[in-house]
Amino acid sequence: MLRASDLDWTVIRSAGLFEAGQVSSYQVSDGPLDGVFTSREDLAACLLEQARDSRFVRKTIEVTTSEGAPTLWQMIRREAFKKS
């Protein structure tokens, strides 16, 4: 329904979310990205950026954090044991 509409839209897909405390370098693409995690701060920055930018109107994009993202083991440990 969204694609068939005449609205200006952008669907933003994030990888697994984590807390970072600040906006970092992040990647945005309308193709696949390699990142496994996206900080909540980077996702918020991307959402605000897309509200002002028309490059990705009527597209689905991905956003991932490219600097300072945790490893999969760090995320499992953090979630399972609530440790940093």
Side-chain angles (χ1 to χ4, degrees), residues 36-48:
V36 178
F37 298 107
T38 304
S39 75
R40 287 179 171 83
E41 294 80 2
D42 290 348
L43 177 58
C46 180
L47 289 166
L48 291 173

Side-chain angles (χ1 to χ4, degrees), residues 10-69:
T10 303
V11 173
I12 301 174
R13 293 181 179 163
S14 67
L17 295 174
F18 72 98
E19 300 287 337
Q22 64 186 20
V23 175
S24 68
S25 240
Y26 60 91
Q27 297 177 315
V28 177
S29 176
D30 59 353
L33 291 172
D34 291 332
V36 178
F37 298 107
T38 304
S39 75
R40 287 179 171 83
E41 294 80 2
D42 290 348
L43 177 58
C46 180
L47 289 166
L48 291 173
E49 180 183 341
Q50 297 314 306
R52 299 184 304 258
D53 189 348
S54 61
R55 285 181 300 158
F56 296 115
V57 169
R58 301 188 63 78
K59 293 184 179 182
T60 298
I61 62 174
E62 294 186 10
V63 57
T64 60
T65 297
S66 52
E67 291 179 2

